[in-house]
Amino acid sequence: MARGLGNINKMDPAELKMLKTRIDIATAIMVTLIAVLVVRLWYLQIRKGTEYAQLSENNRTRIQYIAAPRGNVLDRNGNIIIANRPRFNVIWIREDAPHPDEVLKQLAKILKLDISVLLDRIRAGADHPRYLPTRLKEDIDWETLVAIENNAYRLPGVQVEVLPSRDYLYDEMASHLLGYLGEINQQELDASDDNTYMPGDLIGKGGIEKLFDRYLRGEKGASFVEVDVRGVVQKRLKTQEAVPGNDLQLTIDIGMQKAAEDAMADKAGAVVAMEVNTGRILVLTSLPALPLHEFSSGIPANVWQRLLSDPKTPLINKPIQGQYPPGSTYKIVTALAGLSEKVITPDTSFFCSGSINFGNRSYGCWKKGGHGSISLHRALAESCDVYFYQVAQKLGPDLLAHYAHSLGLGAKTGITLENEKAGNIPTTAWKLKRFKEPWQEGETLSVGIGQGFDLATPLQICRMTAAVANGGTLYRPQFIAAVKDSTGAFVSRFKPIVDGTSLGSPRTLQLIRDGLEGAVNEPHGTATAAKMENVIVAGKTGTAQVVRMAQYKATSASNVPYLYQDHAWFTCFAPFDKPQIAVTVLVEHGGHGGSAAAPVAKAVLSKYFEMYPPPPLPAAEAATAATPTLPVTTTPATPPTKPAAPPTATPSPTPSTKPSAKPMAKPPAKKKP
Amino acid sequence: MFRFDRRLLQNIDWAIIGGVLIVTLMALLNLYSATRLNDAVGLSAFFKQLYFNLMGFGLILLIVTIDYKVLIGLSYPLYIFGLLMLVAAMAFGQTVAGSQRWIGLGFFRLQPSEPAKLILVITLASYYYRKDTGKGFTLPELFVPIILTLVPFLLILKQPDLGTALMLLIIFASMTLFVKLRWSTFGILAGGALGALPVVWKLLKPYQRQRIEIFLNPESDPLGSGYHITQSKIAVGSGLKFGKGYLHGTQGQLDFLPERHTDFAFSVWAEEWGFFGSLVFLACYFFVLLWGLNIAVTARDKFGMLLAFGIVSLLFWQAFINLGMIMGLLPVVGVPLPLFSYGGSSLLTNLAGIGLLLNIRMRRFMVAA
């Protein structure tokens, strides 16, 4: 202060000059640095501007995908079988919850749960990072959802996640056909050549959900959104709406499907029904059903293990993957071949004493007492083995195979389901190639009655029956009635496909149909259990032999362990004079076809004719159906409904008919008997 | 001394007032854009800044009525007052984001390190004015200014607020170089500063060291601390020639830019107004500062010259460091852009500085009373 104010105006001119020079220097420095900033600004905004503009674009826009509603699956009458249903889960994000105790108390009240349940869940997820959600409650109902949303501001940290899920309105019905959804895996991602599929997507894992995934899934929509640095959406820029998936209308009749599955009850096996004049499949059942509700979020390992080890092999889609000896249903083939090759006429008769000797062995008829003198009609109706042994013997395996092939056996039917099996129709050449051994003539006898090397799927037998019924046309079995887009317009519609025509004249087929009619409607027929009041049914029973253990030979059927009991077949069509529908039933280890399988077919037919009433029966036919005239028989009548004794041993090595235990999603290893 | 001379009105420097007005209006415009979508700050920041501007211009009016030379006598009391505020912030200040920088005053959180910068300028200007012999300062003569600088420097470094603390050293260096130094003194000081670098490095907090390391190698941590620089460069660069339009700067609006209403306010401007808009801003801004140097040249006396030079260097270095940081030329050190960044303490301090410049300008032809 001493020097202070006194000399404040006195500035030495030299010093002033010097200071002014320094200010000039400072100005120069300042201008230089400003120039540096301007150049830098030019560099960032002009020189590299587009690069940064691009970066900023990526910085802020994200694509949010909008799930397309998956198409519904309907039955032929428009009943919805699979619908979509969003599932709402309550989740907890610890990071966002500053006051967990208060919030959880509130939440427990809303969920009507004890708070300890919630705490247990949270503790279970305590090791996860704080920002990862913990599920507190799955699949809450609408009211709970509303309650949570209304109280959202009081429940920081609590959120509701929405997961799309499939709603199976008929539970496990037609489970193998319908299939299920699961999260897409890497293989499936790699396999898709376009951008249809993305990680995290749900994709059909089996059945039509898989086969028709591209129709059902629709097209994802996308919303371009601006997000802030935390990913919080600020603004929607452009939205491309999702295109809902196509609805899939099946030819399946869910009422008949239910009738079939109800009639099967807890039995394992397959039921197939198809329209004989179109190939439309009305019923396609494989039992035991798959527990679809347990598959909703991937198949748990323990469930998978349980299904794999189940002796009833639920993982096999039996109508198309189960290969069984066709048993006596194959007599249709033998009859067709015999008549067509003229080794028999309708009047040719053989004598059945209950068995026949060939080589040094005796081949038995299922009816130990024998059928006596028997010709074609009764042989079919009463399923005389001895008759067909002799017809087969006259034909030989290769001619039999020729006719079998013409009825669609031994080859895939071409149904659009995965891993269909072809069955097996043996020929001499096949045997030589397969076993390096020549054909044994005794094997012809077994093959002639559908045992031995013969294998067929229930679908094949059904189509064969339909062909016999319709006069010889082999229709491709199809189960898609229509594919419709969300506006209801048809994307594609069912069209019958003819895959071939069977051998045999119309008259020959008529003779066979007559025999089948007798099996159901004549007192000694093997299939009287399928007889109906208002419709004339024609059908054929069959018994597929399973590995015959010597130790069970003498045991009565009911004492044989489940896995060694025979499979029961029944295949039929109706109405007899103007066939509309063919039904084939296979009951695994069910014993005799007449008792185990025929009632199931009858249940399916009843349901069908309940919905599509048949024309009234002609008087004469009605009389026949109501009070059948007894044909002359030389043997005592065996009540057909009583379980018949298993057929006697067949001479040839009988292959195991147990279908290979492979899941339906994976192709089982090719296995020829 | 407190009597207002009517002749002063004729000498009001409308150029600098106009320049500052334009800059502060741009600042308000920009602040609105930067904060309107920010839930945490919101529009209240805009109105606060508006009030501080009004208060600041009131402060300017107050300052110009009093001859700046009273500061020669008031410098030490002011200095002591400044230190007390810094100690108070340390003792019972509010901790925000890990730093204890603020004193709660009810309606307003005072950040004493801001006025401390201006107080140091005044103190050094007074000291150099009083002690200058015209023969150049020797090292013993610089002992007092060094202590005057180091005490607030250490207090602010302890908060910790590296950017503001460094500003004190830069102000000291600028003003000391402006007055005459003996070459030997300059050599010793420069050597001493270099020698102190490793010590300072050790004193730095890990995050401060990290920032410098990241500045030297920004690619090392693009999502961590390097994030600020990267996002700021993206914001500035993506502005292109004419910008994305007011309120349409995505980087700023969408929260990618950190501290976008305070230290990174200019990023928002550059993004929305582009290269040409930024040039307009820089032209206005540096016009004020260059005009400030002109005020120093034309000052009535040496104290006015020193004071004006100190104020301009205070504003300029902060601006340069801030803009350099925003453009990725300098490390992120948390220095606001004077008159532009949001913050009441900073705005009031800088407007007070502008008031002093006006004061010096108005009295350039006046003879001391």
Side-chain angles (χ1 to χ4, degrees), chain B residues 195-227:
Chain B
L197 271 184
V199 183
V200 173
W201 182 254
K202 278 203 168 168
L203 287 174
L204 291 179
K205 302 260 172 188
Y207 84 90
Q208 293 169 330
R209 278 186 229 165
Q210 197 191 9
R211 278 182 179 179
I212 293 168
E213 282 167 348
I214 287 162
F215 166 69
L216 296 174
N217 182 16
E219 312 307 320
S220 66
D221 189 17
L223 285 175
S225 305
Y227 179 81

Side-chain angles (χ1 to χ4, degrees), chain A residues 3 15 22 59 228-229, chain B residues 130 178 227 254 256 302:
Chain A
R3 269 183 86 191
E15 195 191 358
R22 286 190 195 155
N59 225 356
D228 66 12
V229 70
Chain B
R130 277 183 273 117
F178 181 62
Y227 179 81
L254 299 179
F256 285 100
K302 196 178 170 188

Side-chain angles (χ1 to χ4, degrees), chain B residues 177-355:
Chain B
L177 284 170
F178 181 62
V179 299
K180 199 177 172 186
L181 270 192
R182 290 194 181 167
W183 279 111
S184 58
T185 315
F186 177 74
I188 291 165
L189 275 182
L194 281 178
L197 271 184
V199 183
V200 173
W201 182 254
K202 278 203 168 168
L203 287 174
L204 291 179
K205 302 260 172 188
Y207 84 90
Q208 293 169 330
R209 278 186 229 165
Q210 197 191 9
R211 278 182 179 179
I212 293 168
E213 282 167 348
I214 287 162
F215 166 69
L216 296 174
N217 182 16
E219 312 307 320
S220 66
D221 189 17
L223 285 175
S225 305
Y227 179 81
H228 291 188
I229 298 177
T230 311
Q231 291 299 340
S232 173
K233 277 158 72 179
I234 292 175
V236 173
S238 63
L240 301 173
K241 273 182 203 153
F242 301 108
K244 295 176 185 168
Y246 183 55
L247 302 182
H248 287 92
T250 53
Q251 287 285 108
Q253 302 289 329
L254 299 179
D255 220 1
F256 285 100
L257 268 177
E259 317 266 333
R260 61 182 181 279
H261 59 299
T262 56
D263 293 356
F264 286 87
F266 181 70
S267 309
V268 176
W269 182 271
E271 188 188 18
E272 296 188 346
W273 299 91
F275 182 64
F276 292 107
S278 301
L279 283 188
V280 169
F281 171 81
L282 292 181
C284 296
Y285 199 89
F286 288 111
F287 164 79
V288 170
L289 296 188
L290 288 168
W291 198 258
L293 283 184
N294 182 255
I295 290 172
V297 173
T298 58
R300 171 182 66 183
D301 49 48
K302 196 178 170 188
F303 176 63
M305 205 178 251
L306 276 167
L307 188 59
F309 183 84
I311 290 166
V312 170
S313 66
L314 169 67
L315 297 177
F316 175 76
W317 286 120
Q318 288 191 88
F320 181 74
I321 290 170
N322 177 277
L323 294 172
M325 168 182 84
I326 280 170
M327 297 181 201
L329 288 172
L330 293 171
V332 176
V333 282
V335 172
L337 183 56
L339 305 176
F340 196 74
S341 292
Y342 171 74
S345 309
S346 161
L347 182 65
L348 287 178
T349 304
N350 294 320
L351 286 177
I354 296 294

